[in-house]
Amino acid sequence: MAGSVLLTNIEVPGIRDFAVYRAHGGYQAVEKALRSMTPSDVSAEVTRSGLRGRGGAGFPTGLKWSFLDKRSDKPRYLVCNADESEPGTFKDRYLMQHLPHRLIEGLIISAYALGAGTCYIYIRGEFKYLVGILEKAINETHRNGFLGSDILGSGFSLNIFVHPGAGAYICGEETALLESLEGKRGNPRIKPPFPAFRGLYGCPTVVNNVETLAAVGPIISMGGDAYARIGKGRSTGTKLISACGNINKPGVYEIEMGLPVEEFIYGDRYCGGIRNGKYLKAVIPGGSSVPILPADLILSTAKGEPRLMTYESLAEGDFATGSMLGSGGFIVFDEDACIVRNTWNLTRFYRHESCGQCSPCREGTAWMEKILYRIEHGGGTLKDIDLLVRIARNIEGNTICPLGDAAAWPVASAIRHFRQEFEEHVTDPGKCRNQRTN
Amino acid sequence: MEGTHKISHPQFVREGKQFSFSAATMLKVRQLIARYPQGRQKSALLPVLHIAQEESGGSLTVDIMDYVADLLGLQPIEVYETATFYSMFYLEKTGKYVIEVCRTGPCSIVGGDQIRQYLREVLEIGPGETTPDGLFTLREVECLGSCGTGPVMQVNTRFFENLTPRRVDQILEELREYANKNNPDDIRWQDQFC
Ligand SMILES: Cc1cc2nc3c(=O)[nH]c(=O)nc-3n(C[C@H](O)[C@H](O)[C@H](O)COP(=O)(O)O)c2cc1C
Ligand code: SF4
Ligand code: FES
């Protein structure tokens, strides 16, 4: 089952072309939905499938769709979040590059379910080469009658447009994305109101991740119940995991949820073990924003059970001993990696990407970066370590958008699990081979 | 130096040159605007700024931004405040090839730091600077969404992955050759691999 829901037929030569995709069963899900199902039937299937948002938060997609303001007579929008900028995450790019029609098929069915007549794919500006691929696929789909007005004689009309960003991680946050799509700075909005009520141009809007929307086609084809039987518990279906770092086989893998983490890291079908026969030191399992876990805690939970690739298992033990599945950006560190250096590096990322609207995030990330720089370069004190913990705690939960939390968690978790390494960088600078002491 | 808090204030450049889109580009721009609802033409700002930057040879001057403001019926300040938010809009003159090398964690742990250092050495410039011959601008940027094939850099819009110093040498050599041909079509040397 693994590897055969979202990425089915990815190996077929020419699958990027409409004709080839169609010849391999493509757009049959659209036909099924538009010819034999009402929009609420489609939503009900998605709810039954148990599909959860693949952008990071794991919020149930069916439930999110049900919030869409039904009393409003304004136009509705579907926005596909293809901003993919979370360090360690490169799965949406892979999907769009190789299987653009899987996404477009999902967009058509989702927009039908939501009653949206326009869909924008907001793609990060750096992926400019994908814009051509997506637009070509959209045009082909249009020519073949699956987009435009009165699709398949159903009375449903849809246009899809690709909209490039211009370099800003924060525009992946859904309300910043909407601001950016309106031509403004990517400053997240205060919620509520949520996009379901006041989204793009103040109209009811659903924002979903690329992978989430791409899963809708297969769900309609196989039925929500069948999809829900894949995976484990409330983590239904398959998930794309982008694996990187010190492993033998970095890349994008479609796994059935529930796969043991150990098998994912060491199995030949997946990461193939740690590079150069080194030891596993730590993993950030869900993109740079989620807590880092040391080897023992990523392989098994604090209770001693094998850790599984599910939303629940990766979060088992909460932040004391657990982490999150997040976006599926799986970053592996071997024994030589320096946790202090990496924490400083990631904090610099968040400082750079903070939009600057809230003081705890704007000032806190800059302050943490400065302290981490000091520690990494041999000028830190033991008090600095506690200060970092305090700053992180004061950022968390006190900001407009979750970027503040995303900046606080990596620091707090690195100190929680690797405090000794931070202390050594203070007391014995130069011991760490990676440490810079200039 | 890394870690020091040098806040760079973009210096707006005013060249005093009249900027305008060609008729062909104007058609493209009109089509872009039509993708958004009536009265929401501001939504076309990012895509139009991308085009303007490309057509002007790689950066946005005040004159260009004023022109775009006029075109979209916006106040100039609306264009400035948006343009300054995004890292892909260059407000200072750039070299013919803008090299953006990733500095974020996942690349960093697979040799990215060495590649960044190597680029500084062979180009003899620091991040944010342009070589005296006007060929290369070096920028160190955050995660490019290519972490499984790091270290990675983008030259204009093209990705180069799994970098080694040798590979960097080859790429720079290739770019210099391209530039030598002096073909005006090569100004914004585009991706050809997809
Ligand atoms: C700082 C920040 C960055 C984000 N970046 C992305 C992103 O690049 N792609 C994405 O799909 N979601 C991203 N998200 C999550 C979105 O806000 C939103 O939850 C998601 O697009 C919803 O889609 P889903 O329910 O299908 O996951 C980000 C959130 C935050 C706070
Ligand atoms: S938390 Fe940070 S990124 Fe989010 S709105 Fe506040 S300042 Fe901006
Ligand atoms: S960290 Fe370099 S591309 Fe993601």
Side-chain angles (χ1 to χ4, degrees):
Chain A
M1 196 71 241
S4 58
V5 176
L6 271 179
L7 301 185
T8 315
N9 294 331
I10 193 164
E11 71 294 340
V12 174
I15 195 72
R16 222 148 64 175
D17 295 335
F18 180 89
V20 179
Y21 184 76
R22 181 87 173 116
H24 285 79
Y27 291 95
Q28 284 178 9
V30 173
E31 291 175 311
K32 180 174 174 184
L34 267 57
R35 292 215 165 108
S36 67
M37 299 167 80
T38 65
S40 39
D41 291 342
V42 174
S43 298
E45 281 311 311
V46 170
T47 302
R48 257 203 299 281
S49 75
L51 177 67
R52 292 163 71 179
R54 305 299 196 222
F59 193 81
T61 306
L63 189 57
K64 184 174 192 167
W65 288 9
S66 74
F67 294 152
L68 197 68
D69 185 4
K70 288 171 202 73
R71 275 170 303 191
S72 166
D73 50 11
K74 293 182 184 158
R76 296 172 187 177
Y77 291 98
L78 173 62
V79 175
C80 172
N81 189 341
D83 194 54
E84 188 159 71
S85 315
E86 171 91 0
T89 315
F90 45 98
K91 62 183 179 80
D92 298 336
R93 174 186 175 195
Y94 182 79
L95 185 82
M96 291 185 286
Q97 177 167 343
H98 298 287
L99 271 173
H101 285 290
R102 182 84 72 233
L103 173 61
I104 295 168
E105 189 166 12
L107 294 177
I108 299 171
I109 301 167
S110 305
Y112 174 69
L114 296 165
T118 308
C119 166
Y120 295 105
I121 303 175
Y122 183 100
I123 188 164
R124 68 177 292 183
E126 291 86 344
F127 290 171
K128 188 165 176 241
Y129 78 97
L130 291 179
V131 174
I133 293 178
L134 289 170
E135 287 188 337
K136 178 172 172 282
I138 290 167
N139 290 338
E140 285 177 329
T141 310
H142 219 286
R143 275 202 305 280
N144 284 278
F146 286 89
L147 275 175
S149 51
D150 193 17
I151 300 167
L152 307 179
S154 65
F156 170 65
S157 305
L158 176 67
N159 283 305
I160 303 177
F161 301 110
V162 186
H163 183 103
Y169 165 69
I170 190 58
C171 292
E173 194 282 331
E174 58 186 9
T175 59
L177 186 154
L178 295 174
E179 288 287 296
S180 181
L181 192 45
E182 292 180 5
K184 302 182 215 154
R185 297 168 75 87
N187 289 342
R189 299 174 181 169
I190 292 171
K191 294 192 267 192
F194 289 93
F197 280 82
R198 290 180 60 82
L200 186 62
Y201 312 128
C203 300
T205 303
V206 165
V207 182
N208 272 133
N209 173 257
V210 169
E211 186 189 347
T212 312
L213 292 164
V216 172
I219 286 170
I220 293 307
S221 294
M222 69 170 76
D225 290 332
Y227 186 87
R229 280 194 293 275
I230 310 168
K232 192 171 167 63
R234 289 183 53 238
S235 295
T236 61
T238 63
K239 175 87 187 84
L240 296 182
I241 306 289
S242 59
C244 64
N246 308 124
I247 46 175
N248 281 317
K249 296 195 300 168
V252 177
Y253 298 97
E254 181 174 13
I255 60 148
E256 177 170 357
M257 295 246 223
L259 182 79
V261 172
E262 185 162 3
E263 189 180 336
F264 184 68
I265 297 176
Y266 292 101
D268 284 337
R269 291 178 57 194
Y270 307 105
C271 304
I274 310 301
R275 215 176 266 182
N276 302 320
K278 300 222 186 236
Y279 290 107
L280 171 68
K281 179 173 183 176
V283 172
I284 301 177
S288 64
S289 302
V290 310
I292 190 170
L293 289 179
D296 54 340
L297 282 177
I298 189 68
L299 296 176
S300 53
T301 65
K303 288 186 200 149
E305 289 156 0
R307 187 82 78 178
L308 309 177
M309 303 285 273
T310 61
Y311 292 101
E312 293 74 22
S313 179
L314 281 166
E316 169 80 45
D318 296 324
F319 280 2
T321 57
S323 182
M324 288 163 80
L325 177 63
S327 62
F330 199 87
I331 313 169
V332 180
F333 299 87
D334 71 14
E335 57 194 283
D336 293 339
C338 172
I339 301 299
V340 178
R341 185 168 178 74
N342 186 66
T343 309
W344 160 59
N345 182 303
L346 292 181
T347 303
R348 178 179 63 184
F349 170 83
Y350 291 105
R351 191 263 299 156
H352 185 262
E353 300 302 330
S354 166
C355 84
Q357 279 191 108
C358 346
S359 340
C361 172
R362 181 187 63 243
E363 304 300 323
T365 51
W367 197 8
M368 290 197 303
E369 188 206 340
K370 220 160 156 176
I371 297 168
L372 282 159
Y373 178 84
R374 193 150 80 208
I375 297 175
E376 165 66 6
H377 291 76
T381 65
L382 290 174
K383 273 198 193 136
D384 279 343
I385 302 171
D386 293 319
L387 183 56
L388 280 172
V389 175
R390 263 210 321 279
I391 301 170
R393 200 180 300 138
N394 280 312
I395 299 174
E396 197 184 333
N398 292 321
T399 56
I400 293 176
C401 91
L403 186 136
D405 305 337
W409 295 340
V411 174
S413 62
I415 297 177
R416 186 181 309 126
H417 299 298
F418 296 94
R419 180 178 270 270
Q420 196 190 344
E421 205 168 305
F422 283 83
E423 289 174 355
E424 271 173 16
H425 275 67
V426 170
T427 55
D428 192 3
K431 182 178 176 204
C432 166
R433 284 198 293 121
N434 285 315
Q435 188 173 4
R436 301 273 169 92
T437 47
N438 54 0
Chain B
M1 195 175 68
E2 286 175 326
T4 53
H5 293 274
K6 189 176 66 184
I7 309 254
S8 71
H9 295 282
Q11 297 282 316
F12 279 7
V13 180
R14 186 185 291 279
E15 285 186 324
K17 270 189 275 178
Q18 273 294 325
F19 177 86
S20 61
F21 286 140
S22 65
T25 306
M26 202 53 121
L27 192 70
K28 214 157 69 177
V29 168
R30 296 254 167 266
Q31 284 168 349
L32 274 176
I33 294 172
R35 295 175 163 195
Y36 309 96
Q38 277 272 308
R40 299 292 183 176
Q41 73 279 5
K42 186 172 178 179
S43 274
L45 184 51
L46 261 50
V48 172
L49 284 176
H50 275 299
I51 295 176
Q53 177 163 287
E54 224 163 271
E55 296 233 325
S56 74
S59 58
L60 294 174
T61 61
V62 172
D63 314 277
I64 297 173
M65 291 190 278
D66 289 349
Y67 173 77
V68 169
D70 207 37
L71 191 69
L72 295 177
L74 305 173
Q75 293 299 319
I77 184 68
E78 294 180 82
V79 179
Y80 307 160
E81 66 177 6
T82 293
T84 51
F85 187 82
Y86 298 91
S87 70
M88 290 176 72
F89 296 133
Y90 310 140
L91 302 168
E92 283 154 13
K93 212 166 164 35
T94 55
K96 182 166 176 170
Y97 303 116
V98 181
I99 298 180
E100 303 206 310
V101 57
C102 172
R103 70 177 190 184
T104 312
C107 273
S108 198
I109 59 170
V110 295
D113 289 349
Q114 287 85 321
I115 292 298
R116 284 193 295 122
Q117 191 56 37
Y118 187 71
L119 277 163
R120 293 182 193 190
E121 281 166 19
V122 291
L123 294 173
E124 297 181 17
I125 50 173
E129 294 173 357
T130 300
T131 53
D133 60 7
L135 217 48
F136 300 109
T137 297
L138 181 62
R139 301 182 84 226
E140 297 189 352
V141 297
E142 301 296 352
C143 178
L144 289 166
S146 200
C147 330
T149 44
V152 59
M153 67 182 190
Q154 264 193 309
V155 182
N156 296 354
T157 59
R158 181 167 168 183
F159 275 91
F160 291 97
E161 297 160 273
N162 295 308
L163 294 173
T164 59
R166 257 184 63 87
R167 183 79 187 107
V168 168
D169 286 341
Q170 284 168 358
I171 295 163
L172 295 179
E173 193 50 40
E174 204 182 305
L175 290 171
R176 286 198 178 95
E177 261 170 46
Y178 246 91
N180 265 336
K181 286 190 201 144
N182 224 357
N183 178 347
D185 292 342
D186 288 336
I187 296 286
R188 299 304 283 177
W189 175 80
Q190 295 297 328
D191 41 3
Q192 337 166 312
F193 75 110
C194 50

